[in-house]
Amino acid sequence: MVVLQALFLVVVIYLAIRLLHLDQVSEAPKLYFKEGSAFVKNILTNCSILKDTYVPTLLWGKSGHLQTFIYAKLGRVKSPFPKGNRHYLEMPDSALMTFDVFEPYTSHISKDDLTILICPGLANSSEASYVCTFVHYAQERGYRVAVLNHLGALPSVKLNTPRMFTYGCTDEFSRMVDEVKKLYPNSKLLAVGFSMGGNIITKYLGESKENEKKFLCGISVCQGYDALRCVPLLLDWHHMRRAYVYVMTAHQKTLLKHHHDVLLNEEVKQKYGLDEDKIMASTSLLELDEQYSSFTDYYSNVLLNAEDDPLVPPALVDLAKQHAETHENYLLVVTKHGGHLGYFQSGLVVPETITWLDRSLIQFADSVVSLQQFIRYK
């Protein structure tokens, strides 16, 4: 009996080590950029966090699945919930969009007026705890923050037209940018996009040179880069991606139910030829999207990822590597651990509220501000 108990204990320990990747060594992020880039050289001079080892929460932080699961369920640990001012704007199609502005708690070390514009992830808003934690941290370091609330994502704001947010549409983010520039004409802008929001800000910045000129920099976190290439990868079971997509689809359907009277009333279903039964029977975002439009038409239109992100396969990050290594003023940061928007750090079981991601984003932003001041006064 004692031998069996000892054997069982050994097996449990072995499985824990393998499943939690406790045998893996923490590493500094891998950096990809064009050889000889003066921009990257100057940024890294002031951004030590990108050269130091990222140490995840000891017991479970090296598991990309647990990083992602805990982020999805909790967002952040003991997250603050800052109070902002909500702005309401009417879009050309009469849709009511909102964004929230959070004023800084102190002056930035540069003495500049700085505003970070955030585009959150899928179906998220300024009320998501991971957004709140980053907003609060940025406020403490002298940044004003404006956060886009994706159409339909706020439980307290009802849709007034039969449409929600879409993965590739930049209209709402563009409108927020223009409004922030009117409200704070002397403020310098920085863009941060999380997950799907990363796709939106990079698309917005790439749509015209005028859009680029409005910002000091754009920072995309856990972006998928290529939706068309991403779809078949998300539909397989490798790294449990199919299960994640199922959960994401279920969340989308919950939002559809919440706004049922606007999105799925009889008039709308008849006008757009929608089949409510097929919509609610969808088990993937692809199936859900196909009920609303042609899949191909729907999708055609500094970077940070984790190698163990279950939603962004390495094949998609390769696209970003190629771009960063062949273009000036681009930097791709790839961490060994972190999952999808997790990046919890420190502690044996309970991590710190402020994550490695929060710290790295602000340190990078500070470096960009410092660099542009150096160029301005040179």
Side-chain angles (χ1 to χ4, degrees):
M1 179 63 72
V2 174
V3 173
L4 288 176
Q5 290 176 338
L7 181 60
F8 176 76
L9 180 60
V10 170
V11 171
V12 170
I13 293 174
Y14 172 78
L15 290 176
I17 291 174
R18 292 301 301 271
L19 293 174
L20 299 176
H21 305 295
L22 298 177
D23 56 331
Q24 292 186 359
V25 178
S26 299
E27 299 177 357
K30 297 175 183 176
L31 306 177
Y32 300 89
F33 53 91
K34 187 174 182 179
E35 193 68 31
S37 171
F39 165 76
V40 173
K41 180 181 178 180
N42 284 301
I43 289 298
L44 294 180
T45 299
N46 298 310
C47 203
S48 61
I49 195 170
L50 298 183
K51 296 178 288 185
D52 296 337
T53 300
Y54 160 47
V55 182
T57 302
L58 188 59
L59 186 60
W60 50 265
K62 292 179 181 178
S63 166
H65 289 297
L66 287 177
Q67 285 264 13
T68 303
F69 177 79
I70 292 172
Y71 146 74
K73 287 298 181 183
L74 298 180
R76 292 294 180 256
V77 177
K78 298 179 182 178
S79 174
F81 289 93
K83 300 296 183 181
N85 296 316
R86 182 154 294 167
H87 297 257
Y88 297 81
L89 298 172
E90 186 176 291
M91 298 297 291
D93 66 349
S94 297
L96 184 65
M97 67 153 286
T98 68
F99 68 93
D100 294 328
V101 176
F102 303 84
E103 294 296 335
Y105 297 140
T106 186
S107 298
H108 190 266
I109 190 171
S110 69
K111 304 304 179 184
D112 279 342
D113 184 301
L114 301 163
T115 304
I116 296 175
L117 280 73
I118 294 178
C119 191
L122 181 71
N124 288 167
S125 67
S126 63
E127 296 179 359
S129 63
Y130 77 95
V131 175
C132 291
T133 300
F134 177 68
V135 166
H136 181 76
Y137 186 63
Q139 288 177 289
E140 290 183 328
R141 275 140 188 84
Y143 290 91
R144 178 185 300 108
V145 186
V147 184
L148 177 67
N149 299 312
H150 291 302
L151 290 178
L154 285 172
S156 60
V157 178
K158 293 289 290 182
L159 292 175
N160 66 324
T161 58
R163 76 174 178 94
M164 294 176 64
F165 61 86
T166 58
Y167 309 142
C169 179
T170 61
D171 292 350
E172 286 79 51
F173 184 76
S174 177
R175 185 68 186 278
M176 179 177 74
V177 172
D178 292 342
E179 189 66 17
V180 167
K181 286 185 67 63
K182 290 179 184 177
L183 294 170
Y184 311 100
N186 297 319
S187 187
K188 297 178 175 61
L189 309 183
L190 303 91
V192 174
F194 295 101
S195 192
M196 180 197 76
N199 287 33
I200 290 175
I201 70 158
T202 52
K203 184 174 184 290
Y204 169 81
L205 293 172
E207 285 174 344
S208 73
K209 288 293 182 182
E210 290 304 312
N211 288 351
E212 286 186 4
K213 292 177 182 178
K214 296 174 185 177
F215 288 86
L216 295 181
C217 72
I219 307 173
S220 176
V221 183
C222 296
Q223 181 181 344
Y225 301 108
D226 188 330
L228 282 172
R229 287 185 59 181
C230 184
V231 167
L233 296 172
L234 287 178
L235 294 180
D236 67 38
W237 282 97
H238 183 67
H239 219 37
M240 294 296 292
R241 284 192 288 268
R242 189 67 175 83
Y244 284 101
V245 171
Y246 181 85
V247 173
M248 292 162 65
T249 306
H251 182 56
Q252 287 289 89
K253 291 192 289 187
T254 298
L255 290 179
L256 288 172
K257 291 176 183 177
H258 180 72
H259 298 286
H260 186 280
D261 59 326
V262 176
L263 296 175
L264 290 172
N265 61 50
E266 292 302 321
E267 180 182 352
V268 169
K269 287 191 290 186
Q270 184 174 5
K271 181 178 180 179
Y272 296 104
L274 302 178
D275 188 323
E276 184 174 350
D277 291 336
K278 288 184 178 180
I279 290 172
M280 291 306 168
S282 300
T283 60
S284 73
L285 294 174
L286 172 58
E287 292 177 24
L288 192 60
D289 295 338
E290 284 181 332
Q291 300 304 316
Y292 282 91
S293 62
S294 163
F295 168 72
T296 302
D297 291 343
Y298 193 80
Y299 284 92
S300 286
N301 288 315
V302 144
L303 311 171
L304 175 61
N305 291 86
E307 289 180 349
D308 63 355
D309 186 336
L311 292 176
V312 183
L316 297 180
V317 181
D318 286 343
L319 297 172
K321 291 178 184 177
Q322 295 168 13
H323 190 82
E325 291 176 337
T326 55
H327 290 75
E328 293 286 348
N329 300 346
Y330 275 87
L331 172 63
L332 171 65
V333 179
V334 181
T335 59
K336 185 173 183 177
H337 304 108
H340 190 77
L341 296 180
Y343 292 98
F344 295 99
Q345 69 173 13
S346 302
L348 176 62
V349 178
V350 180
E352 296 179 2
T353 297
I354 304 301
T355 66
W356 182 90
L357 177 60
D358 301 320
R359 289 190 170 91
S360 64
L361 293 181
I362 292 300
Q363 196 173 120
F364 181 81
D366 286 345
S367 299
V368 170
V369 173
S370 176
L371 177 59
Q372 67 87 29
Q373 277 198 322
F374 172 77
I375 294 173
R376 187 171 67 200
Y377 295 129
K378 188 175 181 181

